[in-house]
Amino acid sequence: MALGRPEPGGWLLRLGVLPAQTSALLAERVLRDLPVVLGAGSGLGDSWAGADLPAYRVEELRRCCVARGGVLTVLQQPQSASLLPAWEDAPSRPLIEAVKAQFDPKQQLARGRLPGVRDPHQP
């Protein structure tokens, strides 16, 4: 695993937590041995790993982020891994859908593709 930059064909993860929760997230066991760059002021950052990282650790990290009021987005994952969804539903899903309904009442534009809303038919 390259500590300085993501490996092609490996994992690339976008992390986001409440800024007050960055220290708690960085102390989590699941981040042990994973390079991570996380802004203390924003609570946003990236982590990466080689293809040998098991998908269950990514799922565990996602649960840790969500427990701290945040999200984890899978930007890149190995082809050999069981496919994880890029993101789960955001807490703001009802608001996102309401805004979309106002601007696109006939649902003609980008059907099923809303930011922060997981498409149940896509991995």
Side-chain angles (χ1 to χ4, degrees):
M1 171 180 6
L3 293 179
R5 56 190 165 83
E7 291 180 10
W11 293 94
L12 179 57
L13 311 170
R14 174 80 26 95
L15 311 173
V17 295
L18 296 172
Q21 296 294 320
T22 55
S23 295
L25 180 66
L26 289 172
E28 284 289 341
R29 174 187 54 82
V30 69
L31 277 175
R32 183 181 21 161
D33 303 328
L34 290 181
V36 63
V37 176
L38 189 64
S42 67
L44 301 173
D46 295 321
S47 183
W48 55 91
D52 58 336
L53 181 73
Y56 73 83
R57 281 195 60 195
V58 176
E59 291 171 327
E60 183 180 355
L61 180 54
R62 177 175 271 159
R63 286 190 297 275
C64 288
C65 290
V66 169
R68 285 168 176 70
V71 296
L72 179 142
T73 303
V74 178
L75 300 176
Q76 174 184 304
Q77 60 185 304
Q79 290 181 342
S80 61
S82 59
L83 290 177
L84 295 180
W87 57 77
E88 298 290 329
D89 285 340
S92 58
R93 179 181 180 157
L95 176 63
I96 293 168
E97 289 176 334
V99 170
K100 170 92 163 82
Q102 289 293 314
F103 286 98
D104 185 19
K106 294 182 182 178
Q107 297 186 18
Q108 295 174 323
L109 305 172
R111 184 175 301 193
R113 290 183 279 153
L114 294 173
V117 177
R118 180 177 176 208
D119 182 357
H121 305 293
Q122 295 292 323

